[in-house]
Amino acid sequence: MKEIIEILTKNNKTVSTMESCTGGGVVNAITNIEGASEVLKFSAITYSNEFKIKMGVDSNIIDKYSVYSIETAMEMSKNISKFSNSNYGIGITGKLNRVDKNNLFGQDNVVFISIYDKDNDKFYNFNKTVSASSREENKQIIIDLIVSKFKNIIK
């Protein structure tokens, strides 16, 4: 993450996150690095559909594809970037080691990640199936993956 902060700072770029299943883990990793305040604009933890929608996610996308989909992650990344006027938005949604009684659709233990590059109006999308026995381990796997992918995007 330190290298990401350095690259963003050098290039005068910013990032914001809208996280669900990672519960703020990505923004925590960012703020653990000195200089994060130069590049981090905003972060939202939107565990519920209600607050994803309040933050700009189209409810029709959730209804059509489920809250656990790359389409929802894309809505999250783009809308957090627009909301905060950040160069990059990161959206994360998925299920980790549990069934969600409020959202029965969508694959279990699959996390959907979208990184939106506002300057080029481009999405970088990927997903990861996680299989660690604890939520904490699965969250760390996702955070590590995002760090790796994001670093390659901004280089």
Side-chain angles (χ1 to χ4, degrees), residues 126-154:
F126 45 101
N127 61 50
K128 175 75 175 168
T129 301
V130 292
S131 59
S133 59
S134 78
R135 288 177 63 82
E136 186 176 359
E137 288 174 283
N138 283 327
K139 285 166 64 171
Q140 192 57 56
I141 289 166
I142 298 304
I143 293 163
D144 292 344
L145 177 63
I146 291 168
V147 168
S148 172
K149 297 281 190 181
F150 191 38
K151 187 166 57 171
N152 288 330
I153 290 167
I154 64 174

Side-chain angles (χ1 to χ4, degrees), residues 58-113:
D58 186 336
S59 63
N60 294 318
I61 295 292
I62 292 173
D63 292 343
K64 183 173 181 179
Y65 298 102
S66 111
V67 71
Y68 305 118
S69 65
I70 198 61
E71 292 82 4
T72 296
M74 290 170 67
E75 284 278 299
M76 293 168 74
S77 67
K78 187 170 186 175
N79 281 292
I80 200 66
S81 174
K82 284 174 27 181
F83 177 83
S84 62
N85 195 29
S86 293
N87 302 97
Y88 298 97
I90 301 173
I92 309 147
T93 186
K95 287 194 239 182
L96 297 176
N97 298 54
R98 71 177 290 270
V99 173
D100 179 353
K101 64 181 175 133
N102 295 315
N103 296 288
L104 297 175
F105 301 102
Q107 293 178 279
D108 292 340
N109 297 320
V110 178
V111 177
F112 300 91
I113 302 119

